[in-house]
Amino acid sequence: MQKSQKSILDHIPEFLEYLDIEKGLSHNSQITYNRFINKFENWLKENNFTTLLPHELTSEHIWQYRVYLSKIYNKNTHQPLKRTSINYYLITLRNLLNYFADRDIISLPAEKIKLFPEKKDKNIKFLQLEQIEKLLAAPDISNIIGLRDKAILETLFSTGLRVAELVSLNRNQIKIDNIDDELEVNVIGKGDKLRPVYFSPRALKAIQDYLNTRKDDEPALFINYKGPITKDHRLTTRSIENIVRKYVIKAGISIPASPHTLRHSFATDLLMQGVDLRMVQEFLGHKNIATTQIYTHITSKKLKDIHKKFHSLKE
């Protein structure tokens, strides 16, 4: 182990290259890490720690950074960052320290950065099927925007795609030979893992109706119709989130649903229909079965309600 004479700030570009080349993180994951580490860079600069060397970083610095994060407010909700969000910033910093360890650079051990404990039972938000039906019927399909938005909503529920996976879809991936058959499409998810997802005939019909109105040469499946002509018109993840929220309100659904809520709804519906948890793990592209197990308490409650209704002795 050796002391580096380069400041922590000067090491950050190499850290990002390390995530790309050695850790093989996907492009979207690299963007996320870049955003999280930028917050730490800003903190270093604002506190005149631009020359701080890796071995000079102390637990007191980490504490000051935690306090800094706790005072940041979300621009949309005007509320302080949630503990789960703060954890993401701290995990990124942990990975920076792990990078130093891999390079035999003396620094604070990563385990010195303590995370906020996660709740054991996550409150998974999902929509009931009648709410899904209302949501899918909400777009006005008399215009191209409505046709596009209906195709987006149908695709999210049919496939269980992550929002980043959805925006990455291209038109040439959707080859509709028979509208009555499901379509299997391979997508690259987290960690560059390839997995198949399935478009139902209903989702394909919505996509076909939308594509029939397209007169452009854009490769993206879902595009934005606003902005300058020279700009890439592929919808962003934020745009998809706003589209879903728009129709949740229009459909009169009380749950503040997001694209991830539709992913939860997709998984919950499969489990309610008796699909094995391991199969749901494959559909969702989860690396670890433990991630998929967050849904089991939902189905367990459903089984309990069924047992109570149909099996208990009546007085």
Side-chain angles (χ1 to χ4, degrees), residues 237-252:
T237 55
R238 180 61 59 86
S239 298
I240 301 292
E241 288 165 357
N242 290 336
I243 286 168
V244 172
R245 290 193 189 100
K246 169 186 172 181
Y247 291 108
V248 165
I249 294 170
K250 185 177 179 182

Side-chain angles (χ1 to χ4, degrees), residues 164-228:
E165 296 166 348
L166 180 90
V167 300
S168 298
L169 289 173
N170 289 322
R171 280 203 285 187
N172 61 10
Q173 291 178 269
I174 311 300
K175 299 173 181 177
I176 306 173
D177 296 321
N178 187 343
I179 200 70
D180 295 322
D181 287 340
E182 283 199 343
L183 175 68
E184 178 181 325
V185 174
N186 288 321
V187 298
I188 299 175
K190 282 187 175 181
D192 288 332
K193 182 181 177 183
L194 189 71
R195 81 175 191 279
V197 296
Y198 300 91
F199 292 74
S200 66
R202 176 170 168 162
L204 291 176
K205 173 68 165 56
I207 292 172
Q208 188 176 63
D209 289 344
Y210 163 57
L211 290 179
N212 285 342
T213 66
R214 293 270 296 269
K215 307 298 180 185
D216 58 86
D217 296 323
E218 290 275 347
L221 178 60
F222 298 118
I223 62 173
N224 196 340
Y225 292 95
K226 299 176 183 178

Side-chain angles (χ1 to χ4, degrees), residues 66 70 82-84 86-87 90 114-118:
R66 292 176 77 110
S70 70
K82 294 180 179 178
R83 288 188 169 192
T84 51
I86 292 177
N87 275 351
L90 296 176
K114 304 299 181 184
L115 304 180
F116 288 110
E118 292 187 9

Side-chain angles (χ1 to χ4, degrees), residues 60-197:
E60 178 60 26
H61 290 128
I62 302 301
W63 171 253
Q64 292 174 20
Y65 181 54
R66 292 176 77 110
V67 172
Y68 169 80
L69 291 172
S70 70
K71 293 180 179 179
I72 295 173
Y73 279 73
N74 186 298
K75 293 179 181 178
N76 296 322
T77 64
H78 305 293
Q79 298 294 319
L81 287 180
K82 294 180 179 178
R83 288 188 169 192
T84 51
S85 298
I86 292 177
N87 275 351
Y88 292 140
Y89 289 102
L90 296 176
I91 289 169
T92 302
L93 188 52
R94 268 186 173 182
N95 281 312
L96 176 62
L97 299 184
N98 284 328
Y99 158 75
F100 289 143
D102 279 358
R103 290 291 185 267
D104 291 326
I105 296 171
I106 297 173
S107 184
L108 198 68
E111 56 267 23
K112 287 288 185 180
I113 301 179
K114 304 299 181 184
L115 304 180
F116 288 110
E118 292 187 9
K119 294 180 180 178
K120 290 185 178 179
D121 294 322
K122 292 186 177 181
N123 185 22
I124 302 299
K125 294 178 182 176
F126 67 97
L127 302 181
Q128 302 290 344
L129 285 181
E130 57 268 24
Q131 293 173 313
I132 291 288
E133 288 290 357
K134 287 181 181 179
L135 180 62
L136 299 181
D140 176 6
I141 57 173
S142 65
N143 59 74
I144 192 169
I145 298 292
L147 286 169
R148 178 202 65 189
D149 294 351
K150 181 173 177 60
I152 287 171
L153 296 174
E154 293 279 2
T155 297
L156 284 169
F157 183 63
S158 173
T159 61
L161 283 168
R162 298 179 178 94
V163 65
E165 296 166 348
L166 180 90
V167 300
S168 298
L169 289 173
N170 289 322
R171 280 203 285 187
N172 61 10
Q173 291 178 269
I174 311 300
K175 299 173 181 177
I176 306 173
D177 296 321
N178 187 343
I179 200 70
D180 295 322
D181 287 340
E182 283 199 343
L183 175 68
E184 178 181 325
V185 174
N186 288 321
V187 298
I188 299 175
K190 282 187 175 181
D192 288 332
K193 182 181 177 183
L194 189 71
R195 81 175 191 279
V197 296

